[in-house]
Amino acid sequence: MTFLDYFQQTIQPQLAAIDLFLKTEEPPYAAQTAAVLLGITSGEMEKLLTQEKLSLITKGVFLRLMRQGSSPLCRMLDREIRCGSPKRYTPAAIAYIYDLDIGEVLSAAEQLGESTFESGRLSELFGYIQVPDRVYRK
């Protein structure tokens, strides 16, 4: 399985569902719905809300919770923001943000003959990165 397969099968649908939800639903949002969209348990959602002393989930709170959740999507988003959402990504940044083996990312970059990647070319790079099925499941 390539990381592109995982990204297209898991992450992109989650992002699309969140985008649609935030564009069409009116806050405050139900904690259970937000938890499902973020890929976290209801218990984790309640813990986050308690820690942050929040009782309502608005769009801003949803995005803040998204950075704090434990799901792969939440962790990726947090690392992306920590890196400043760069215009061009180095293999090291890609490995960090997407929790990939740096050797695999460097090998893929070498196969493509590139040392940095714009966000629009990440999917091409992802197609060259093999990931273990046990780590990245659908």
Short mmCIF file of all heavy atoms in Angstrom, two decimals, residues 54-108:
data_model
loop_
_atom_site.label_atom_id
_atom_site.label_comp_id
_atom_site.label_asym_id
_atom_site.label_seq_id
_atom_site.Cartn_x
_atom_site.Cartn_y
_atom_site.Cartn_z
N LEU A 54 -14.80 24.19 28.01
CA LEU A 54 -15.73 24.57 26.95
C LEU A 54 -17.04 23.80 27.09
O LEU A 54 -17.03 22.62 27.43
CB LEU A 54 -15.12 24.27 25.58
CG LEU A 54 -13.83 25.02 25.25
CD1 LEU A 54 -13.15 24.41 24.05
CD2 LEU A 54 -14.12 26.49 25.01
N SER A 55 -18.13 24.46 26.77
CA SER A 55 -19.41 23.77 26.80
C SER A 55 -20.07 23.76 25.42
O SER A 55 -20.95 22.95 25.17
CB SER A 55 -20.35 24.43 27.82
OG SER A 55 -20.53 25.78 27.51
N LEU A 56 -19.63 24.65 24.53
CA LEU A 56 -20.17 24.71 23.18
C LEU A 56 -19.06 24.54 22.15
O LEU A 56 -17.93 24.98 22.38
CB LEU A 56 -20.84 26.07 22.93
CG LEU A 56 -22.06 26.41 23.77
CD1 LEU A 56 -22.50 27.84 23.48
CD2 LEU A 56 -23.19 25.44 23.48
N ILE A 57 -19.41 23.92 21.04
CA ILE A 57 -18.43 23.76 19.97
C ILE A 57 -18.84 24.66 18.82
O ILE A 57 -19.83 24.40 18.13
CB ILE A 57 -18.33 22.29 19.50
CG1 ILE A 57 -17.96 21.39 20.68
CG2 ILE A 57 -17.29 22.17 18.38
CD1 ILE A 57 -17.94 19.91 20.35
N THR A 58 -18.08 25.72 18.64
CA THR A 58 -18.26 26.63 17.50
C THR A 58 -17.25 26.23 16.43
O THR A 58 -16.44 25.32 16.63
CB THR A 58 -18.02 28.08 17.93
OG1 THR A 58 -16.65 28.19 18.36
CG2 THR A 58 -18.96 28.51 19.05
N LYS A 59 -17.26 26.94 15.31
CA LYS A 59 -16.32 26.62 14.24
C LYS A 59 -14.87 26.78 14.74
O LYS A 59 -14.03 25.92 14.50
CB LYS A 59 -16.56 27.53 13.04
CG LYS A 59 -15.84 27.08 11.78
CD LYS A 59 -16.20 27.94 10.59
CE LYS A 59 -17.61 27.61 10.14
NZ LYS A 59 -17.95 28.18 8.84
N GLY A 60 -14.60 27.86 15.45
CA GLY A 60 -13.25 28.08 15.97
C GLY A 60 -12.84 27.01 16.98
O GLY A 60 -11.70 26.54 16.97
N VAL A 61 -13.76 26.64 17.84
CA VAL A 61 -13.49 25.59 18.83
C VAL A 61 -13.26 24.27 18.12
O VAL A 61 -12.35 23.51 18.48
CB VAL A 61 -14.64 25.49 19.86
CG1 VAL A 61 -14.52 24.22 20.70
CG2 VAL A 61 -14.68 26.72 20.75
N PHE A 62 -14.05 23.97 17.10
CA PHE A 62 -13.89 22.74 16.33
C PHE A 62 -12.47 22.66 15.78
O PHE A 62 -11.79 21.64 15.90
CB PHE A 62 -14.91 22.67 15.19
CG PHE A 62 -14.85 21.40 14.40
CD1 PHE A 62 -15.64 20.32 14.75
CD2 PHE A 62 -14.00 21.27 13.30
CE1 PHE A 62 -15.59 19.13 14.02
CE2 PHE A 62 -13.94 20.10 12.57
CZ PHE A 62 -14.74 19.03 12.93
N LEU A 63 -12.00 23.75 15.18
CA LEU A 63 -10.66 23.76 14.60
C LEU A 63 -9.59 23.65 15.68
O LEU A 63 -8.56 22.99 15.47
CB LEU A 63 -10.47 25.01 13.75
CG LEU A 63 -11.39 25.09 12.53
CD1 LEU A 63 -11.26 26.43 11.83
CD2 LEU A 63 -11.13 23.95 11.56
N ARG A 64 -9.82 24.24 16.83
CA ARG A 64 -8.88 24.12 17.95
C ARG A 64 -8.84 22.68 18.45
O ARG A 64 -7.76 22.13 18.70
CB ARG A 64 -9.30 25.07 19.07
CG ARG A 64 -8.23 25.24 20.11
CD ARG A 64 -8.50 26.48 20.92
NE ARG A 64 -9.05 26.09 22.21
CZ ARG A 64 -9.76 26.88 22.99
NH1 ARG A 64 -10.06 28.09 22.59
NH2 ARG A 64 -10.17 26.45 24.15
N LEU A 65 -10.00 22.06 18.57
CA LEU A 65 -10.06 20.66 19.01
C LEU A 65 -9.40 19.74 17.99
O LEU A 65 -8.79 18.73 18.35
CB LEU A 65 -11.52 20.23 19.25
CG LEU A 65 -12.23 20.94 20.40
CD1 LEU A 65 -13.72 20.60 20.39
CD2 LEU A 65 -11.60 20.59 21.74
N MET A 66 -9.52 20.10 16.72
CA MET A 66 -8.92 19.31 15.66
C MET A 66 -7.40 19.25 15.83
O MET A 66 -6.79 18.23 15.54
CB MET A 66 -9.28 19.89 14.29
CG MET A 66 -8.91 19.02 13.14
SD MET A 66 -9.60 19.75 11.63
CE MET A 66 -9.15 18.50 10.46
N ARG A 67 -6.81 20.30 16.34
CA ARG A 67 -5.36 20.32 16.58
C ARG A 67 -4.97 19.51 17.80
O ARG A 67 -3.82 19.12 17.94
CB ARG A 67 -4.86 21.75 16.76
CG ARG A 67 -4.84 22.53 15.46
CD ARG A 67 -4.03 23.77 15.58
NE ARG A 67 -2.64 23.48 15.84
CZ ARG A 67 -1.75 24.40 16.20
NH1 ARG A 67 -2.13 25.64 16.34
NH2 ARG A 67 -0.50 24.07 16.42
N GLN A 68 -5.92 19.26 18.69
CA GLN A 68 -5.60 18.58 19.94
C GLN A 68 -5.97 17.10 19.95
O GLN A 68 -5.56 16.38 20.85
CB GLN A 68 -6.31 19.28 21.10
CG GLN A 68 -5.85 20.71 21.28
CD GLN A 68 -6.67 21.45 22.31
OE1 GLN A 68 -7.67 20.95 22.81
NE2 GLN A 68 -6.27 22.66 22.62
N GLY A 69 -6.75 16.66 18.99
CA GLY A 69 -7.21 15.27 18.97
C GLY A 69 -6.07 14.30 18.70
O GLY A 69 -5.00 14.67 18.20
N SER A 70 -6.32 13.03 19.01
CA SER A 70 -5.28 12.01 18.87
C SER A 70 -5.35 11.23 17.56
O SER A 70 -4.47 10.42 17.30
CB SER A 70 -5.39 11.02 20.04
OG SER A 70 -6.63 10.32 19.94
N SER A 71 -6.35 11.46 16.74
CA SER A 71 -6.48 10.70 15.49
C SER A 71 -5.36 11.08 14.52
O SER A 71 -4.77 12.16 14.62
CB SER A 71 -7.84 10.96 14.84
OG SER A 71 -7.89 12.28 14.32
N PRO A 72 -5.04 10.20 13.57
CA PRO A 72 -4.01 10.54 12.58
C PRO A 72 -4.29 11.87 11.87
O PRO A 72 -3.38 12.68 11.68
CB PRO A 72 -4.05 9.36 11.61
CG PRO A 72 -4.51 8.21 12.44
CD PRO A 72 -5.52 8.82 13.39
N LEU A 73 -5.54 12.12 11.51
CA LEU A 73 -5.88 13.38 10.85
C LEU A 73 -5.58 14.57 11.74
O LEU A 73 -4.96 15.55 11.32
CB LEU A 73 -7.36 13.39 10.45
CG LEU A 73 -7.86 14.72 9.88
CD1 LEU A 73 -7.25 14.99 8.52
CD2 LEU A 73 -9.37 14.73 9.79
N CYS A 74 -5.99 14.50 13.00
CA CYS A 74 -5.74 15.60 13.94
C CYS A 74 -4.25 15.83 14.13
O CYS A 74 -3.79 16.98 14.13
CB CYS A 74 -6.40 15.32 15.29
SG CYS A 74 -8.20 15.34 15.27
N ARG A 75 -3.50 14.75 14.28
CA ARG A 75 -2.06 14.90 14.49
C ARG A 75 -1.38 15.50 13.26
O ARG A 75 -0.48 16.34 13.38
CB ARG A 75 -1.45 13.56 14.87
CG ARG A 75 -1.92 13.09 16.26
CD ARG A 75 -1.15 11.90 16.80
NE ARG A 75 -0.82 10.88 15.84
CZ ARG A 75 -1.52 9.75 15.62
NH1 ARG A 75 -2.60 9.50 16.33
NH2 ARG A 75 -1.14 8.88 14.73
N MET A 76 -1.82 15.08 12.06
CA MET A 76 -1.26 15.64 10.82
C MET A 76 -1.53 17.15 10.73
O MET A 76 -0.64 17.92 10.38
CB MET A 76 -1.84 14.94 9.59
CG MET A 76 -1.28 13.59 9.33
SD MET A 76 -2.08 12.84 7.89
CE MET A 76 -1.66 11.14 8.13
N LEU A 77 -2.76 17.52 11.01
CA LEU A 77 -3.10 18.94 10.94
C LEU A 77 -2.27 19.74 11.93
O LEU A 77 -1.73 20.81 11.59
CB LEU A 77 -4.58 19.16 11.23
CG LEU A 77 -4.95 20.65 11.31
CD1 LEU A 77 -4.96 21.27 9.92
CD2 LEU A 77 -6.27 20.85 11.99
N ASP A 78 -2.12 19.26 13.15
CA ASP A 78 -1.33 19.98 14.14
C ASP A 78 0.11 20.13 13.69
O ASP A 78 0.69 21.22 13.79
CB ASP A 78 -1.40 19.27 15.50
CG ASP A 78 -0.66 20.04 16.57
OD1 ASP A 78 -0.97 21.24 16.77
OD2 ASP A 78 0.25 19.47 17.20
N ARG A 79 0.71 19.07 13.17
CA ARG A 79 2.10 19.15 12.71
C ARG A 79 2.23 20.10 11.51
O ARG A 79 3.19 20.85 11.40
CB ARG A 79 2.64 17.76 12.40
CG ARG A 79 2.84 16.92 13.65
CD ARG A 79 3.56 15.61 13.36
NE ARG A 79 2.82 14.74 12.47
CZ ARG A 79 2.06 13.71 12.86
NH1 ARG A 79 1.92 13.42 14.14
NH2 ARG A 79 1.44 12.96 11.97
N GLU A 80 1.24 20.08 10.62
CA GLU A 80 1.23 20.99 9.47
C GLU A 80 1.24 22.44 9.95
O GLU A 80 2.01 23.27 9.46
CB GLU A 80 -0.02 20.73 8.61
CG GLU A 80 -0.27 21.76 7.53
CD GLU A 80 0.49 21.52 6.24
OE1 GLU A 80 0.90 20.37 5.99
OE2 GLU A 80 0.67 22.48 5.49
N ILE A 81 0.40 22.76 10.90
CA ILE A 81 0.33 24.12 11.43
C ILE A 81 1.62 24.48 12.16
O ILE A 81 2.12 25.60 12.02
CB ILE A 81 -0.92 24.29 12.32
CG1 ILE A 81 -2.17 24.21 11.43
CG2 ILE A 81 -0.88 25.60 13.09
CD1 ILE A 81 -3.48 24.13 12.17
N ARG A 82 2.17 23.53 12.91
CA ARG A 82 3.44 23.79 13.61
C ARG A 82 4.56 24.12 12.62
O ARG A 82 5.49 24.85 12.96
CB ARG A 82 3.85 22.59 14.46
CG ARG A 82 3.00 22.42 15.70
CD ARG A 82 3.44 21.16 16.46
NE ARG A 82 2.55 20.88 17.54
CZ ARG A 82 2.72 21.32 18.78
NH1 ARG A 82 3.76 22.07 19.07
NH2 ARG A 82 1.85 21.03 19.72
N CYS A 83 4.48 23.56 11.43
CA CYS A 83 5.49 23.83 10.39
C CYS A 83 5.19 25.12 9.63
O CYS A 83 5.94 25.49 8.72
CB CYS A 83 5.59 22.66 9.42
SG CYS A 83 6.41 21.22 10.11
N GLY A 84 4.09 25.76 9.94
CA GLY A 84 3.75 27.02 9.28
C GLY A 84 3.09 26.86 7.93
O GLY A 84 3.11 27.79 7.13
N SER A 85 2.54 25.67 7.64
CA SER A 85 1.91 25.41 6.35
C SER A 85 2.77 25.95 5.19
O SER A 85 2.39 26.88 4.50
CB SER A 85 0.50 26.01 6.30
OG SER A 85 -0.31 25.43 7.29
N PRO A 86 3.94 25.36 5.02
CA PRO A 86 4.88 25.90 4.02
C PRO A 86 4.36 25.82 2.58
O PRO A 86 3.52 24.98 2.27
CB PRO A 86 6.12 25.01 4.18
CG PRO A 86 5.64 23.77 4.84
CD PRO A 86 4.43 24.14 5.64
N LYS A 87 4.88 26.71 1.75
CA LYS A 87 4.54 26.67 0.32
C LYS A 87 5.29 25.54 -0.37
O LYS A 87 4.82 24.96 -1.31
CB LYS A 87 4.86 28.01 -0.34
CG LYS A 87 3.97 29.14 0.11
CD LYS A 87 4.25 30.39 -0.67
CE LYS A 87 3.49 31.56 -0.11
NZ LYS A 87 2.13 31.66 -0.57
N ARG A 88 6.51 25.29 0.10
CA ARG A 88 7.31 24.19 -0.42
C ARG A 88 7.73 23.32 0.77
O ARG A 88 8.11 23.83 1.81
CB ARG A 88 8.53 24.69 -1.17
CG ARG A 88 8.14 25.46 -2.44
CD ARG A 88 9.32 25.69 -3.36
NE ARG A 88 9.88 24.49 -3.94
CZ ARG A 88 9.38 23.84 -5.01
NH1 ARG A 88 8.29 24.27 -5.58
NH2 ARG A 88 9.99 22.78 -5.49
N TYR A 89 7.63 22.02 0.59
CA TYR A 89 7.91 21.06 1.65
C TYR A 89 9.22 20.35 1.37
O TYR A 89 9.44 19.84 0.27
CB TYR A 89 6.80 20.02 1.73
CG TYR A 89 5.46 20.56 2.11
CD1 TYR A 89 4.63 21.19 1.18
CD2 TYR A 89 4.98 20.44 3.41
CE1 TYR A 89 3.38 21.67 1.53
CE2 TYR A 89 3.74 20.93 3.78
CZ TYR A 89 2.95 21.54 2.82
OH TYR A 89 1.72 22.02 3.18
N THR A 90 10.06 20.24 2.38
CA THR A 90 11.26 19.42 2.29
C THR A 90 10.87 17.98 2.64
O THR A 90 9.85 17.76 3.30
CB THR A 90 12.34 19.90 3.28
OG1 THR A 90 11.83 19.72 4.61
CG2 THR A 90 12.72 21.36 3.03
N PRO A 91 11.70 17.02 2.26
CA PRO A 91 11.41 15.64 2.69
C PRO A 91 11.31 15.52 4.21
O PRO A 91 10.46 14.79 4.71
CB PRO A 91 12.59 14.84 2.12
CG PRO A 91 12.93 15.59 0.86
CD PRO A 91 12.78 17.05 1.26
N ALA A 92 12.14 16.26 4.95
CA ALA A 92 12.08 16.19 6.41
C ALA A 92 10.74 16.69 6.92
O ALA A 92 10.14 16.09 7.83
CB ALA A 92 13.22 17.00 7.02
N ALA A 93 10.25 17.79 6.35
CA ALA A 93 8.95 18.33 6.78
C ALA A 93 7.82 17.36 6.42
O ALA A 93 6.90 17.15 7.21
CB ALA A 93 8.69 19.70 6.14
N ILE A 94 7.90 16.76 5.26
CA ILE A 94 6.87 15.81 4.82
C ILE A 94 6.85 14.61 5.76
O ILE A 94 5.79 14.16 6.20
CB ILE A 94 7.11 15.38 3.35
CG1 ILE A 94 6.89 16.57 2.42
CG2 ILE A 94 6.22 14.20 2.97
CD1 ILE A 94 7.43 16.39 1.03
N ALA A 95 8.04 14.09 6.09
CA ALA A 95 8.12 12.94 7.00
C ALA A 95 7.53 13.30 8.35
O ALA A 95 6.78 12.51 8.94
CB ALA A 95 9.57 12.48 7.15
N TYR A 96 7.84 14.49 8.84
CA TYR A 96 7.33 14.92 10.15
C TYR A 96 5.81 15.11 10.12
O TYR A 96 5.09 14.55 10.95
CB TYR A 96 8.03 16.22 10.56
CG TYR A 96 7.42 16.87 11.78
CD1 TYR A 96 7.53 16.28 13.04
CD2 TYR A 96 6.72 18.06 11.67
CE1 TYR A 96 6.96 16.87 14.16
CE2 TYR A 96 6.14 18.67 12.78
CZ TYR A 96 6.26 18.06 14.02
OH TYR A 96 5.68 18.65 15.12
N ILE A 97 5.32 15.89 9.17
CA ILE A 97 3.89 16.21 9.12
C ILE A 97 3.04 14.96 8.95
O ILE A 97 2.04 14.78 9.64
CB ILE A 97 3.60 17.21 7.98
CG1 ILE A 97 4.21 18.58 8.32
CG2 ILE A 97 2.09 17.34 7.73
CD1 ILE A 97 4.24 19.55 7.15
N TYR A 98 3.44 14.08 8.04
CA TYR A 98 2.62 12.91 7.72
C TYR A 98 3.04 11.65 8.47
O TYR A 98 2.51 10.58 8.20
CB TYR A 98 2.61 12.69 6.20
CG TYR A 98 1.96 13.86 5.50
CD1 TYR A 98 2.71 14.86 4.92
CD2 TYR A 98 0.57 13.98 5.49
CE1 TYR A 98 2.11 15.95 4.31
CE2 TYR A 98 -0.04 15.07 4.88
CZ TYR A 98 0.74 16.05 4.30
OH TYR A 98 0.14 17.14 3.70
N ASP A 99 3.99 11.79 9.40
CA ASP A 99 4.45 10.68 10.23
C ASP A 99 4.94 9.52 9.37
O ASP A 99 4.54 8.37 9.55
CB ASP A 99 3.34 10.23 11.19
CG ASP A 99 3.87 9.36 12.32
OD1 ASP A 99 5.06 9.48 12.65
OD2 ASP A 99 3.08 8.56 12.86
N LEU A 100 5.82 9.86 8.44
CA LEU A 100 6.37 8.87 7.51
C LEU A 100 7.85 8.65 7.81
O LEU A 100 8.52 9.51 8.36
CB LEU A 100 6.21 9.37 6.07
CG LEU A 100 4.77 9.53 5.58
CD1 LEU A 100 4.74 10.32 4.28
CD2 LEU A 100 4.13 8.16 5.41
N ASP A 101 8.35 7.51 7.42
CA ASP A 101 9.77 7.20 7.57
C ASP A 101 10.57 8.13 6.66
O ASP A 101 10.31 8.20 5.45
CB ASP A 101 10.01 5.73 7.18
CG ASP A 101 11.47 5.37 7.26
OD1 ASP A 101 11.92 5.01 8.36
OD2 ASP A 101 12.15 5.46 6.22
N ILE A 102 11.54 8.85 7.23
CA ILE A 102 12.32 9.82 6.46
C ILE A 102 13.06 9.15 5.31
O ILE A 102 13.16 9.71 4.21
CB ILE A 102 13.30 10.62 7.37
CG1 ILE A 102 14.04 11.71 6.57
CG2 ILE A 102 14.29 9.70 8.05
CD1 ILE A 102 13.17 12.82 6.04
N GLY A 103 13.54 7.93 5.52
CA GLY A 103 14.23 7.21 4.45
C GLY A 103 13.32 6.96 3.26
O GLY A 103 13.74 7.09 2.10
N GLU A 104 12.07 6.59 3.54
CA GLU A 104 11.09 6.35 2.46
C GLU A 104 10.80 7.64 1.70
O GLU A 104 10.68 7.64 0.48
CB GLU A 104 9.79 5.79 3.03
CG GLU A 104 9.89 4.38 3.55
CD GLU A 104 9.96 3.34 2.45
OE1 GLU A 104 9.45 3.60 1.34
OE2 GLU A 104 10.53 2.27 2.70
N VAL A 105 10.68 8.74 2.43
CA VAL A 105 10.39 10.03 1.80
C VAL A 105 11.58 10.48 0.95
O VAL A 105 11.41 10.93 -0.19
CB VAL A 105 10.02 11.12 2.83
CG1 VAL A 105 9.78 12.46 2.16
CG2 VAL A 105 8.78 10.69 3.63
N LEU A 106 12.80 10.34 1.48
CA LEU A 106 14.00 10.71 0.73
C LEU A 106 14.14 9.87 -0.53
O LEU A 106 14.49 10.38 -1.61
CB LEU A 106 15.24 10.59 1.60
CG LEU A 106 15.40 11.65 2.69
CD1 LEU A 106 16.51 11.26 3.66
CD2 LEU A 106 15.66 13.01 2.07
N SER A 107 13.87 8.58 -0.41
CA SER A 107 13.94 7.69 -1.57
C SER A 107 12.92 8.10 -2.63
O SER A 107 13.24 8.14 -3.83
CB SER A 107 13.69 6.25 -1.12
OG SER A 107 13.65 5.38 -2.23
N ALA A 108 11.70 8.41 -2.21
CA ALA A 108 10.67 8.84 -3.15
C ALA A 108 11.05 10.15 -3.83
O ALA A 108 10.87 10.31 -5.04
CB ALA A 108 9.33 8.99 -2.43
#
